């Protein structure tokens, strides 16, 4: 999955030494908590449930890399056939598939529902990013205060 | 608070969500919360409202588990209305504190005759004011409706159209019946007699509010649920049409509802519209044939829906049959009926009546395709608004590129920020065990409230945790987290960060001695915190730091 890949890529940047390992682990836990926050903020959405099951799976199994998501039917751009030229349809279909991989649970969705879920997912992500940015700023300020106070 | 209880106790079994958002936090009513606390509830309520909307939309769009008959549906609809309105009204009446009572009157002074405004005031009342403020609502707003007891029922009937909320009713009905008695007993309008008995009177008035609430929610959903909201408003005055509308709805609802129960996705009929044109156009003699035709088409539709299980096929065939029926029957009344259905802005009803444009193929396939293309382009426009900088882009492929890039960038931002949070604060950590429920079940039913997790994070050696002892942790949990299993012990964050924050932050270290006065710091609201901090010489440094924290915090937000 994309998230796991980027996680791994981050860990490649900082080869996990004894000092870094705790940091990376904490970062991953924080990320999982952030994703859980995403899930909780938009319950009832298809992507929210898919993300939740993904998180549960990751937490419960750890190393289990069971890939059950390849079973979903992959007819994506059927509706566009006939409207555009073939090349365009292929292009669009490729992008839609990419979007399907990005949005959790997107593989099961057809185009119109996929777009709807994408819109909601984008909104939730925006909210999550804002929250985390504010939190980071707040904690940053607190750290500075602590240092100023002679901590 | 009762607002959250209202949202959380509506049984979500048939919702796609499957879980109530909040377990009712017991401490909330007793905590003398300040503004931040109530804002928290407001935001929660509003976001729950939005999630209610999204859940409603997702639910309306896939009426998977529909009840069998419409007659039962109507009564269940009414009960649902009553229950939900009753909970709103009761929430106001139950909480005794009326600290903000004086400020409520302005919110509820909107004229009652305009349902959208009423709905807005209701939403504001739910959101912007504390629960006690709702007390003003029932007394002020329900009394005029008592004068027209049938008004509410007619409004509800015409608004709902029976079918669009077939899915809804089953969900809310069973749990809300318990609230019905509360509504009847608590309404002050019962004294204002009517031809109905007392319970029905409360039913009507509560139902009308519910109808308006539903209308507002539907309008929020972009008219997806029932595009007939605005025409129905105009129909309120004419009782004759209403009764006939309800008759039509109950009669015609059965046919399409049976078909709908096997239908896929968002094929929704426009019953009030279609039926609204029928009486003037054709006698009742043509109505049964039309309905039987619909029944046949819906029956035929159900089979392909089962075999294919795709939106497209299900969309193609009903339209094929309906359009074929329209062209073959040659009945002018029916054609006009369909024409009138297509003229108003196309409501996402049970079937989408599509009229072939001039010079275009009337083939059922192309019609269905056109409908789907329109839907897709509509969604893409929505996405275009969301993604910044997408307005100048033309063409589907490029726009999809932008959307993909944007989603990727957002995901990367989340990841980066989580790493930054890990770096900025070394004590920040999360107990993953508490984040996710231990059971592997999908969220299919209401989640039982988990046992209170330990407040202390994994790094338990820090002495700072001594002031995060359990009683405060529990209240903080109820205050800060919106019903999640986690506990967040960082009080200043709750006003704005609770929304998607499921984080369980450890108490920040370095605040000096973790004595009990420090512990009480987390309990009080911001103002009293500052005062207390300044009052205690021992905690001066700490509280000024805390004050700085809060000042900073307000600057951030």
């Amino acid at each position: 999955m994309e998230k796991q890949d980027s996680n791994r890529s981050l860990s490649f940047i900082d080869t996990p030494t004894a000092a870094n390992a705790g940091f990376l682990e904490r970062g991953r836990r924080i990320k999982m908590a952030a994703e859980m926050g995403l899930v909780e903020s938009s319950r009832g959405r298809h992507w929210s449930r898919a993300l939740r099951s993904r998180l549960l799976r990751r937490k419960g199994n750890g190393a289990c890399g069971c890939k059950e998501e390849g079973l979903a039917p992959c007819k994506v751009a059927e509706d566009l056939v006939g409207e555009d030229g073939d090349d365009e349809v292929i292009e669009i279909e490729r992008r839609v598939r990419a979007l399907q991989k990005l949005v959790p649970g997107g593989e099961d969705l057809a185009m119109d529902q996929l777009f709807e879920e994408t819109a909601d997912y984008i909104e939730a992500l925006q909210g999550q990013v804002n929250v985390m940015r504010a939190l980071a700023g707040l904690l940053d300020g607190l750290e500075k205060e602590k240092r100023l106070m002679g901590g | 608070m009762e607002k959250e209880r209202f949202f959380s106790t509506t049984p979500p079994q048939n919702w796609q969500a499957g879980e109530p958002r909040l377990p009712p936090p017991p401490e909330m009513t007793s905590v003398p919360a300040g503004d931040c606390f109530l804002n928290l509830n407001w935001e929660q309520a509003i976001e729950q409202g939005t999630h209610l909307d999204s859940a409603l939309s997702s639910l309306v769009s896939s009426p998977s588990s529909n009840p069998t008959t419409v007659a039962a549906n109507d009564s269940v609809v009414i009960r649902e209305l009553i229950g939900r309105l009753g909970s709103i009204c009761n929430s106001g009446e139950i909480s005794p504190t009326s600290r903000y009572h004086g400020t409520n009157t302005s919110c509820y002074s909107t004229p009652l005759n305009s349902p959208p405004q009423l709905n807005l005031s209701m939403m504001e009342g739910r959101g912007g004011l504390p629960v006690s403020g709702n007390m003003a609502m029932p007394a002020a707003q329900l009394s005029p409706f008592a004068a027209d007891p049938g008004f509410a029922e007619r409004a509800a009937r015409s608004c709902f159209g029976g079918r669009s909320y077939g899915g809804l009713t089953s969900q809310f009905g069973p749990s809300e019946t318990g609230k019905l008695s509360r509504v009847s007993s608590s309404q002050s309008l019962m004294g204002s007699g009517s031809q109905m008995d007392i319970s029905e009177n409360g039913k009507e008035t509560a139902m009308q509010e519910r109808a308006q609430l539903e209308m507002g929610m539907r309008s929020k959903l972009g008219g997806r649920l029932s595009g007939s909201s605005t025409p129905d408003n105009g129909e309120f005055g004419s009782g004759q049409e209403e009764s006939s509308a309800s008759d039509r709805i109950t009669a015609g609802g059965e046919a399409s509802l049976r078909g709908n129960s096997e239908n896929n996705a968002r094929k929704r009929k426009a019953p009030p519209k279609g039926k609204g044109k029928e009486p003037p156009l054709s006698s009742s003699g043509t109505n049964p044939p039309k309905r039987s035709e619909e029944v046949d088409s819906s029956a035929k539709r159900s089979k392909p829906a089962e075999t294919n299980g795709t939106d497209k096929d299900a969309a193609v065939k009903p339209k094929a049959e309906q359009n074929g029926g329209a062209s073959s029957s040659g009945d002018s009344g029916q054609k006009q009926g369909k024409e009138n259905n297509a003229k108003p802005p196309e409501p996402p009803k049970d079937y989408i009546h599509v009229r072939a444009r001039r010079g275009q193929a009337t083939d059922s396939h192309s019609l269905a395709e056109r409908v789907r293309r329109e839907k897709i382009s509509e969604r893409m426009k929505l996405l275009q608004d969301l993604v910044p900088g997408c307005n100048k882009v033309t063409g589907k492929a490029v726009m999809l590129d932008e959307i993909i890039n944007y989603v990727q960038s957002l995901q990367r931002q989340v990841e980066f920020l989580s790493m930054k949070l890990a770096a900025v604060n070394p004590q920040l950590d999360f107990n993953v065990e508490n984040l996710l429920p231990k059971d592997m079940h999908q969220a299919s039913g209401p989640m039982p409230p988990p046992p209170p997790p330990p407040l202390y994070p994994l790094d338990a050696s820090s002495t700072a945790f001594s002031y995060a002892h359990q009683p405060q942790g529990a209240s903080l949990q109820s205050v800060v987290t919106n019903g999640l299993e986690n506990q967040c012990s960082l009080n200043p964050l709750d006003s704005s960060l609770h929304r998607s924050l499921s984080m369980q932050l450890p108490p920040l270290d370095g605040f000096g001695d973790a004595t009990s006065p420090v512990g009480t710091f987390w309990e009080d609201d911001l103002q009293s915190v500052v005062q207390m901090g300044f009052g205690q010489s021992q905690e001066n440094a700490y509280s000024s730091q805390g004050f700085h924290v809060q000042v900073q915090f307000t600057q951030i937000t």
Side-chain angles (χ1 to χ4, degrees):
Chain A
M1 282 169 237
E2 194 257 355
K3 287 198 172 79
Q4 284 172 352
D5 288 312
S6 48
N7 239 347
R8 265 180 247 125
S9 70
L10 269 179
S11 61
F12 290 152
I13 293 172
D14 260 351
T15 52
T17 64
N20 292 344
F23 164 73
L24 286 173
E25 264 312 304
R26 265 189 326 121
R28 280 192 210 108
R29 280 196 289 267
I30 293 178
K31 181 164 187 244
M32 186 176 264
E35 288 178 343
M36 208 50 208
L38 268 178
V39 165
E40 296 289 339
S41 71
S42 300
R43 284 210 205 176
R45 279 286 177 174
H46 179 90
W47 66 263
S48 162
R49 272 170 285 136
L51 183 58
R52 188 173 193 272
S53 66
R54 189 202 293 178
L55 286 174
L56 270 174
R57 228 180 303 140
R58 203 184 296 169
K59 175 206 123 184
N61 305 340
C64 171
C66 39
K67 284 260 185 187
E68 301 165 5
E69 299 170 10
L71 304 176
C74 287
K75 45 181 158 67
V76 165
E78 274 182 359
D79 312 315
L80 293 182
V81 170
E83 174 189 340
D84 308 311
D86 273 340
D87 282 343
E88 257 183 85
V89 171
I90 291 176
E91 289 290 306
I92 290 180
E93 193 163 330
R94 203 193 312 160
R95 286 165 174 86
V96 172
R97 275 191 217 280
L99 188 61
Q100 273 182 331
K101 289 199 196 97
L102 282 180
V103 175
E107 280 97 349
D108 316 324
L109 301 174
M111 260 184 88
D112 53 353
Q113 211 176 351
L114 175 70
F115 288 160
E116 196 182 326
E117 294 286 320
T118 303
D120 194 70
Y121 185 55
I122 286 177
E123 278 178 353
L125 276 175
Q126 283 170 340
Q128 184 72 37
V129 163
N130 289 338
V131 163
M132 292 175 80
R133 220 179 265 148
L135 181 62
L138 172 69
L139 290 179
D140 218 1
L142 283 174
E143 290 284 322
K144 287 199 189 115
E145 289 286 334
K146 203 167 50 166
R147 265 177 264 127
L148 284 176
M149 290 293 178
Chain B
M1 294 272 247
E2 280 75 12
K3 274 178 288 204
E4 281 116 18
R5 197 199 306 156
F6 155 62
F7 276 114
S8 63
T9 51
T10 47
Q13 297 108 354
N14 296 337
W15 284 17
Q16 293 182 5
E19 301 152 21
R21 281 213 69 212
L22 303 174
E27 300 87 337
M28 282 183 143
T29 52
S30 56
V31 170
D35 295 334
C36 66
F37 176 71
L38 289 164
N39 285 339
L40 173 133
N41 293 337
W42 165 65
E43 286 172 13
Q44 286 179 9
I46 285 297
E47 89 189 63
Q48 283 168 15
T50 58
H51 296 309
L52 182 66
D53 290 344
S54 68
L56 269 176
S57 68
S58 58
L59 157 112
V60 162
S61 60
S62 59
S64 51
S65 59
N66 271 337
T68 52
T69 64
V70 174
N73 284 350
D74 277 343
S75 59
V76 174
V77 168
I78 293 169
R79 263 181 277 129
E80 163 216 355
L81 282 180
I82 298 148
R84 281 171 60 174
L85 280 175
S87 64
I88 295 176
C89 300
N90 285 330
S91 64
E93 297 194 17
I94 286 174
S95 67
T97 61
S98 60
R99 204 160 25 134
Y100 301 92
H101 197 82
T103 65
N104 295 344
T105 51
S106 61
C107 222
Y108 297 116
S109 59
T110 54
L112 301 167
N113 295 334
S114 57
Q117 291 178 15
L118 168 65
N119 176 58
L120 184 60
S121 76
M122 270 180 68
M123 298 296 275
E124 281 177 11
R126 257 204 348 258
L129 295 174
V131 174
S132 59
N134 285 333
M135 250 200 295
M137 185 169 67
Q141 294 173 342
L142 294 182
S143 42
F145 296 146
D148 190 7
F151 186 65
E153 185 160 11
R154 277 179 272 135
R157 285 275 174 88
S158 63
C159 280
F160 284 113
R163 260 162 287 182
S164 301
Y165 291 91
L168 275 181
T169 61
S170 63
Q171 293 137 22
F172 300 126
S175 77
E176 299 304 323
T177 51
K179 295 185 183 171
L180 176 55
S181 56
R182 267 198 294 149
V183 171
S184 339
S185 61
S186 61
Q187 294 301 330
S188 56
L189 311 162
M190 290 186 294
S192 66
S194 65
Q195 59 252 30
M196 325 243 174
D197 60 335
I198 287 178
S199 61
E200 277 197 41
N201 187 15
K203 213 188 281 193
E204 308 264 70
T205 56
M207 197 169 56
Q208 179 175 28
E209 285 201 25
R210 175 70 60 80
Q212 289 156 358
L213 173 62
E214 289 296 336
M215 278 196 300
M217 289 166 114
R218 269 179 278 128
S219 59
K220 267 167 80 174
L221 290 170
R224 286 193 64 224
L225 299 184
S226 165
S228 60
S229 55
T230 32
D232 281 337
N233 290 341
E235 287 173 347
F236 281 166
S238 59
Q240 186 182 3
E241 197 172 344
E242 290 309 312
S243 55
S244 56
S246 51
D247 289 338
R248 277 178 262 125
I249 286 163
T250 49
E254 285 187 30
S256 56
L257 201 67
R258 254 181 261 124
N260 284 339
S261 60
E262 284 120 17
N263 240 359
N264 213 348
R266 300 154 286 273
K267 314 287 178 299
R268 299 214 159 251
K269 193 170 174 68
K273 278 209 188 60
K275 306 287 197 270
K277 313 299 174 194
E278 281 181 15
L281 297 176
S282 55
S283 61
S284 60
T286 58
N287 283 348
K290 176 156 194 224
R291 289 205 196 97
S292 61
E293 178 189 327
E294 285 164 11
V295 173
D296 293 339
S297 62
S298 65
K300 288 179 207 158
R301 207 180 317 120
S302 61
K303 286 184 211 138
E306 283 163 6
T307 54
N308 297 331
T310 61
D311 290 354
K312 185 192 171 191
D313 290 331
V316 165
K317 294 202 166 62
K319 281 188 217 89
E321 277 148 13
Q322 281 184 1
N323 289 330
S327 53
S328 64
S329 68
D331 187 16
S332 63
Q334 292 187 6
K335 270 199 176 153
Q336 285 183 27
K338 290 211 169 70
E339 194 176 68
N340 290 328
N341 283 336
K343 266 184 200 162
E346 182 173 307
K349 293 299 178 69
D350 302 319
Y351 336 130
I352 296 174
H353 298 270
V354 178
R355 190 133 182 102
R357 291 196 202 126
R358 225 187 132 87
Q360 288 198 359
T362 55
D363 192 19
S364 64
H365 290 283
S366 52
L367 277 172
E369 273 182 35
R370 185 150 53 86
V371 164
R372 289 201 64 78
R373 263 178 263 142
E374 281 168 9
K375 238 195 257 180
I376 288 174
S377 55
E378 180 186 316
R379 304 267 159 80
M380 289 201 88
K381 266 183 233 146
L382 177 69
L383 279 171
Q384 212 172 12
D385 295 332
L386 270 182
V387 176
C390 224
N391 302 327
K392 308 131 191 170
V393 172
T394 51
K396 275 190 178 164
V398 190
M399 231 179 67
L400 280 172
D401 267 342
E402 287 294 315
I403 292 168
I404 288 172
N405 286 339
Y406 189 58
V407 170
Q408 268 176 343
S409 83
L410 282 175
Q411 285 174 342
R412 269 183 252 125
Q413 272 184 40
V414 167
E415 181 145 8
F416 165 74
L417 281 169
S418 65
M419 284 300 165
K420 179 176 175 189
L421 281 172
V424 151
N425 190 341
Q427 291 96 22
L428 180 57
D429 206 342
F430 287 86
N431 194 344
V432 176
E433 292 304 312
N434 298 327
L435 285 173
L436 302 167
K438 307 269 191 306
D439 55 324
M440 298 293 289
H441 301 311
Q442 281 294 328
S444 57
M447 280 203 323
L455 183 59
Y456 308 104
L458 301 179
D459 183 14
S461 59
S462 167
T463 57
F465 304 138
S466 58
Y467 59 77
H469 53 272
Q470 276 301 326
Q472 294 167 8
S475 67
L476 279 174
Q477 173 182 10
S478 60
V479 163
V480 177
T481 66
N482 39 356
L484 308 173
E485 307 92 87
N486 312 312
Q487 298 176 11
C488 179
S489 51
L490 199 55
N491 203 10
L493 298 178
D494 55 11
S495 317
S496 79
L497 300 184
H498 74 280
R499 186 200 174 256
S500 49
L501 208 57
S502 71
M503 300 207 246
Q504 172 189 351
L505 298 178
L508 294 177
D509 201 0
F511 275 17
D513 286 347
T515 55
S516 50
V518 174
T520 55
F521 166 85
W522 299 108
E523 261 181 357
D524 303 334
D525 58 350
L526 298 181
Q527 281 101 18
S528 53
V529 157
V530 172
Q531 289 161 8
M532 189 188 74
F534 285 144
Q536 294 182 12
S537 61
Q538 182 186 6
E539 309 293 335
N540 262 347
Y542 164 77
S543 0
S544 60
Q545 183 178 6
F547 182 69
H548 285 299
V549 169
Q550 286 143 22
V551 166
Q552 259 185 352
F553 177 67
T554 52
Q555 283 170 359
I556 287 170
T557 56

